[in-house]
PDB file of all heavy atoms in Angstrom:
ATOM      1  N   ALA A 114      -9.119  -5.520  14.850  1.00 98.00           N
ATOM      2  CA  ALA A 114      -8.624  -4.981  13.575  1.00 98.00           C
ATOM      3  C   ALA A 114      -9.649  -5.115  12.460  1.00 98.00           C
ATOM      4  O   ALA A 114      -9.295  -4.981  11.281  1.00 98.00           O
ATOM      5  CB  ALA A 114      -7.329  -5.680  13.178  1.00 98.00           C
ATOM      6  N   ALA A 115     -10.909  -5.340  12.797  1.00 98.00           N
ATOM      7  CA  ALA A 115     -11.923  -5.560  11.764  1.00 98.00           C
ATOM      8  C   ALA A 115     -12.066  -4.350  10.849  1.00 98.00           C
ATOM      9  O   ALA A 115     -12.305  -4.492   9.641  1.00 98.00           O
ATOM     10  CB  ALA A 115     -13.264  -5.905  12.407  1.00 98.00           C
ATOM     11  N   GLY A 116     -11.929  -3.141  11.395  1.00 98.00           N
ATOM     12  CA  GLY A 116     -11.979  -1.955  10.546  1.00 98.00           C
ATOM     13  C   GLY A 116     -10.868  -1.950   9.521  1.00 98.00           C
ATOM     14  O   GLY A 116     -11.078  -1.625   8.344  1.00 98.00           O
ATOM     15  N   HIS A 117      -9.673  -2.321   9.942  1.00 98.00           N
ATOM     16  CA  HIS A 117      -8.551  -2.449   9.011  1.00 98.00           C
ATOM     17  C   HIS A 117      -8.844  -3.509   7.950  1.00 98.00           C
ATOM     18  O   HIS A 117      -8.548  -3.323   6.770  1.00 98.00           O
ATOM     19  CB  HIS A 117      -7.281  -2.839   9.763  1.00 98.00           C
ATOM     20  CG  HIS A 117      -6.650  -1.718  10.537  1.00 98.00           C
ATOM     21  ND1 HIS A 117      -6.623  -0.417  10.096  1.00 98.00           N
ATOM     22  CD2 HIS A 117      -5.987  -1.714  11.735  1.00 98.00           C
ATOM     23  CE1 HIS A 117      -5.983   0.341  10.977  1.00 98.00           C
ATOM     24  NE2 HIS A 117      -5.585  -0.422  11.980  1.00 98.00           N
ATOM     25  N   HIS A 118      -9.407  -4.629   8.379  1.00 98.00           N
ATOM     26  CA  HIS A 118      -9.686  -5.715   7.438  1.00 98.00           C
ATOM     27  C   HIS A 118     -10.636  -5.265   6.327  1.00 98.00           C
ATOM     28  O   HIS A 118     -10.458  -5.627   5.164  1.00 98.00           O
ATOM     29  CB  HIS A 118     -10.299  -6.901   8.180  1.00 98.00           C
ATOM     30  CG  HIS A 118      -9.391  -7.540   9.183  1.00 98.00           C
ATOM     31  ND1 HIS A 118      -9.852  -8.300  10.235  1.00 98.00           N
ATOM     32  CD2 HIS A 118      -8.037  -7.524   9.302  1.00 98.00           C
ATOM     33  CE1 HIS A 118      -8.835  -8.732  10.948  1.00 98.00           C
ATOM     34  NE2 HIS A 118      -7.717  -8.272  10.408  1.00 98.00           N
ATOM     35  N   VAL A 119     -11.644  -4.493   6.706  1.00 98.00           N
ATOM     36  CA  VAL A 119     -12.623  -4.045   5.706  1.00 98.00           C
ATOM     37  C   VAL A 119     -11.990  -3.005   4.784  1.00 98.00           C
ATOM     38  O   VAL A 119     -12.182  -3.049   3.559  1.00 98.00           O
ATOM     39  CB  VAL A 119     -13.884  -3.503   6.398  1.00 98.00           C
ATOM     40  CG1 VAL A 119     -14.858  -2.920   5.367  1.00 98.00           C
ATOM     41  CG2 VAL A 119     -14.577  -4.616   7.190  1.00 98.00           C
ATOM     42  N   TYR A 120     -11.246  -2.063   5.331  1.00 98.00           N
ATOM     43  CA  TYR A 120     -10.588  -1.051   4.493  1.00 98.00           C
ATOM     44  C   TYR A 120      -9.625  -1.706   3.499  1.00 98.00           C
ATOM     45  O   TYR A 120      -9.567  -1.318   2.336  1.00 98.00           O
ATOM     46  CB  TYR A 120      -9.829  -0.059   5.373  1.00 98.00           C
ATOM     47  CG  TYR A 120     -10.590   1.217   5.652  1.00 98.00           C
ATOM     48  CD1 TYR A 120     -11.574   1.263   6.627  1.00 98.00           C
ATOM     49  CD2 TYR A 120     -10.331   2.381   4.934  1.00 98.00           C
ATOM     50  CE1 TYR A 120     -12.276   2.439   6.888  1.00 98.00           C
ATOM     51  CE2 TYR A 120     -11.018   3.562   5.186  1.00 98.00           C
ATOM     52  CZ  TYR A 120     -11.995   3.591   6.160  1.00 98.00           C
ATOM     53  OH  TYR A 120     -12.684   4.754   6.407  1.00 98.00           O
ATOM     54  N   GLU A 121      -8.864  -2.681   3.948  1.00 98.00           N
ATOM     55  CA  GLU A 121      -7.900  -3.334   3.063  1.00 98.00           C
ATOM     56  C   GLU A 121      -8.610  -4.178   2.002  1.00 98.00           C
ATOM     57  O   GLU A 121      -8.268  -4.140   0.820  1.00 98.00           O
ATOM     58  CB  GLU A 121      -6.948  -4.205   3.891  1.00 98.00           C
ATOM     59  CG  GLU A 121      -5.737  -4.691   3.139  1.00 98.00           C
ATOM     60  CD  GLU A 121      -4.567  -3.719   3.163  1.00 98.00           C
ATOM     61  OE1 GLU A 121      -4.798  -2.495   3.322  1.00 98.00           O
ATOM     62  OE2 GLU A 121      -3.423  -4.158   3.041  1.00 98.00           O
ATOM     63  N   GLY A 122      -9.607  -4.954   2.445  1.00 98.00           N
ATOM     64  CA  GLY A 122     -10.272  -5.879   1.538  1.00 98.00           C
ATOM     65  C   GLY A 122     -11.270  -5.236   0.599  1.00 98.00           C
ATOM     66  O   GLY A 122     -11.765  -5.906  -0.314  1.00 98.00           O
ATOM     67  N   ARG A 123     -11.570  -3.957   0.787  1.00 98.00           N
ATOM     68  CA  ARG A 123     -12.576  -3.317  -0.070  1.00 98.00           C
ATOM     69  C   ARG A 123     -12.125  -3.219  -1.528  1.00 98.00           C
ATOM     70  O   ARG A 123     -12.946  -2.991  -2.413  1.00 98.00           O
ATOM     71  CB  ARG A 123     -12.919  -1.928   0.473  1.00 98.00           C
ATOM     72  CG  ARG A 123     -11.764  -0.930   0.479  1.00 98.00           C
ATOM     73  CD  ARG A 123     -12.194   0.401   1.073  1.00 98.00           C
ATOM     74  NE  ARG A 123     -11.088   1.362   1.178  1.00 98.00           N
ATOM     75  CZ  ARG A 123     -11.273   2.674   1.172  1.00 98.00           C
ATOM     76  NH1 ARG A 123     -12.478   3.188   1.070  1.00 98.00           N
ATOM     77  NH2 ARG A 123     -10.231   3.486   1.288  1.00 98.00           N
ATOM     78  N   TRP A 124     -10.825  -3.397  -1.791  1.00 98.00           N
ATOM     79  CA  TRP A 124     -10.310  -3.283  -3.152  1.00 98.00           C
ATOM     80  C   TRP A 124     -10.345  -4.611  -3.903  1.00 98.00           C
ATOM     81  O   TRP A 124      -9.960  -4.662  -5.075  1.00 98.00           O
ATOM     82  CB  TRP A 124      -8.874  -2.746  -3.124  1.00 98.00           C
ATOM     83  CG  TRP A 124      -8.772  -1.427  -2.412  1.00 98.00           C
ATOM     84  CD1 TRP A 124      -8.339  -1.229  -1.139  1.00 98.00           C
ATOM     85  CD2 TRP A 124      -9.133  -0.135  -2.920  1.00 98.00           C
ATOM     86  NE1 TRP A 124      -8.398   0.109  -0.823  1.00 98.00           N
ATOM     87  CE2 TRP A 124      -8.877   0.810  -1.902  1.00 98.00           C
ATOM     88  CE3 TRP A 124      -9.636   0.319  -4.147  1.00 98.00           C
ATOM     89  CZ2 TRP A 124      -9.112   2.172  -2.067  1.00 98.00           C
ATOM     90  CZ3 TRP A 124      -9.876   1.672  -4.308  1.00 98.00           C
ATOM     91  CH2 TRP A 124      -9.610   2.579  -3.269  1.00 98.00           C
ATOM     92  N   LEU A 125     -10.797  -5.690  -3.263  1.00 98.00           N
ATOM     93  CA  LEU A 125     -10.896  -6.978  -3.937  1.00 98.00           C
ATOM     94  C   LEU A 125     -12.121  -7.016  -4.846  1.00 98.00           C
ATOM     95  O   LEU A 125     -13.181  -6.471  -4.522  1.00 98.00           O
ATOM     96  CB  LEU A 125     -10.994  -8.108  -2.913  1.00 98.00           C
ATOM     97  CG  LEU A 125      -9.765  -8.361  -2.041  1.00 98.00           C
ATOM     98  CD1 LEU A 125     -10.058  -9.452  -1.023  1.00 98.00           C
ATOM     99  CD2 LEU A 125      -8.550  -8.724  -2.884  1.00 98.00           C
ATOM    100  N   ARG A 126     -11.990  -7.713  -5.945  1.00 97.00           N
ATOM    101  CA  ARG A 126     -13.115  -7.806  -6.889  1.00 97.00           C
ATOM    102  C   ARG A 126     -14.212  -8.727  -6.361  1.00 97.00           C
ATOM    103  O   ARG A 126     -15.394  -8.497  -6.610  1.00 97.00           O
ATOM    104  CB  ARG A 126     -12.610  -8.286  -8.255  1.00 97.00           C
ATOM    105  CG  ARG A 126     -13.659  -8.297  -9.350  1.00 97.00           C
ATOM    106  CD  ARG A 126     -13.060  -8.485 -10.723  1.00 97.00           C
ATOM    107  NE  ARG A 126     -12.470  -7.228 -11.222  1.00 97.00           N
ATOM    108  CZ  ARG A 126     -11.184  -6.958 -11.263  1.00 97.00           C
ATOM    109  NH1 ARG A 126     -10.316  -7.866 -10.840  1.00 97.00           N
ATOM    110  NH2 ARG A 126     -10.739  -5.802 -11.714  1.00 97.00           N
ATOM    111  N   ASP A 127     -13.852  -9.796  -5.672  1.00 97.00           N
ATOM    112  CA  ASP A 127     -14.848 -10.739  -5.144  1.00 97.00           C
ATOM    113  C   ASP A 127     -15.466 -10.157  -3.873  1.00 97.00           C
ATOM    114  O   ASP A 127     -14.835 -10.135  -2.820  1.00 97.00           O
ATOM    115  CB  ASP A 127     -14.192 -12.085  -4.854  1.00 97.00           C
ATOM    116  CG  ASP A 127     -15.208 -13.199  -4.661  1.00 97.00           C
ATOM    117  OD1 ASP A 127     -16.321 -12.908  -4.197  1.00 97.00           O
ATOM    118  OD2 ASP A 127     -14.878 -14.361  -4.969  1.00 97.00           O
ATOM    119  N   HIS A 128     -16.705  -9.707  -3.991  1.00 97.00           N
ATOM    120  CA  HIS A 128     -17.351  -9.030  -2.856  1.00 97.00           C
ATOM    121  C   HIS A 128     -17.822 -10.004  -1.781  1.00 97.00           C
ATOM    122  O   HIS A 128     -18.211  -9.586  -0.677  1.00 97.00           O
ATOM    123  CB  HIS A 128     -18.544  -8.203  -3.346  1.00 97.00           C
ATOM    124  CG  HIS A 128     -19.625  -9.017  -4.007  1.00 97.00           C
ATOM    125  ND1 HIS A 128     -20.511  -9.790  -3.316  1.00 97.00           N
ATOM    126  CD2 HIS A 128     -19.949  -9.161  -5.318  1.00 97.00           C
ATOM    127  CE1 HIS A 128     -21.343 -10.380  -4.143  1.00 97.00           C
ATOM    128  NE2 HIS A 128     -21.019 -10.021  -5.370  1.00 97.00           N
ATOM    129  N   ARG A 129     -17.795 -11.302  -2.047  1.00 97.00           N
ATOM    130  CA  ARG A 129     -18.376 -12.256  -1.106  1.00 97.00           C
ATOM    131  C   ARG A 129     -17.588 -12.352   0.194  1.00 97.00           C
ATOM    132  O   ARG A 129     -18.165 -12.621   1.253  1.00 97.00           O
ATOM    133  CB  ARG A 129     -18.487 -13.626  -1.774  1.00 97.00           C
ATOM    134  CG  ARG A 129     -19.529 -13.660  -2.882  1.00 97.00           C
ATOM    135  CD  ARG A 129     -19.486 -14.933  -3.695  1.00 97.00           C
ATOM    136  NE  ARG A 129     -18.276 -15.036  -4.507  1.00 97.00           N
ATOM    137  CZ  ARG A 129     -18.139 -15.895  -5.514  1.00 97.00           C
ATOM    138  NH1 ARG A 129     -19.130 -16.698  -5.837  1.00 97.00           N
ATOM    139  NH2 ARG A 129     -17.005 -15.943  -6.195  1.00 97.00           N
ATOM    140  N   TYR A 130     -16.276 -12.138   0.125  1.00 98.00           N
ATOM    141  CA  TYR A 130     -15.478 -12.214   1.358  1.00 98.00           C
ATOM    142  C   TYR A 130     -15.953 -11.185   2.380  1.00 98.00           C
ATOM    143  O   TYR A 130     -16.218 -11.518   3.542  1.00 98.00           O
ATOM    144  CB  TYR A 130     -13.997 -11.983   1.046  1.00 98.00           C
ATOM    145  CG  TYR A 130     -13.390 -12.978   0.093  1.00 98.00           C
ATOM    146  CD1 TYR A 130     -12.850 -12.571  -1.118  1.00 98.00           C
ATOM    147  CD2 TYR A 130     -13.351 -14.334   0.402  1.00 98.00           C
ATOM    148  CE1 TYR A 130     -12.278 -13.479  -1.998  1.00 98.00           C
ATOM    149  CE2 TYR A 130     -12.789 -15.250  -0.468  1.00 98.00           C
ATOM    150  CZ  TYR A 130     -12.258 -14.817  -1.675  1.00 98.00           C
ATOM    151  OH  TYR A 130     -11.697 -15.722  -2.532  1.00 98.00           O
ATOM    152  N   LEU A 131     -16.053  -9.939   1.958  1.00 98.00           N
ATOM    153  CA  LEU A 131     -16.449  -8.903   2.911  1.00 98.00           C
ATOM    154  C   LEU A 131     -17.948  -8.891   3.158  1.00 98.00           C
ATOM    155  O   LEU A 131     -18.385  -8.457   4.230  1.00 98.00           O
ATOM    156  CB  LEU A 131     -15.973  -7.529   2.433  1.00 98.00           C
ATOM    157  CG  LEU A 131     -14.470  -7.273   2.562  1.00 98.00           C
ATOM    158  CD1 LEU A 131     -14.146  -5.811   2.273  1.00 98.00           C
ATOM    159  CD2 LEU A 131     -13.932  -7.659   3.934  1.00 98.00           C
TER     160      LEU A 131
END
Side-chain angles (χ1 to χ4, degrees):
H117 284 323
H118 296 158
V119 175
Y120 263 80
E121 193 87 334
R123 63 182 176 154
W124 303 101
L125 293 176
R126 185 168 282 104
D127 195 330
H128 61 76
R129 291 170 291 195
Y130 300 119
L131 287 189

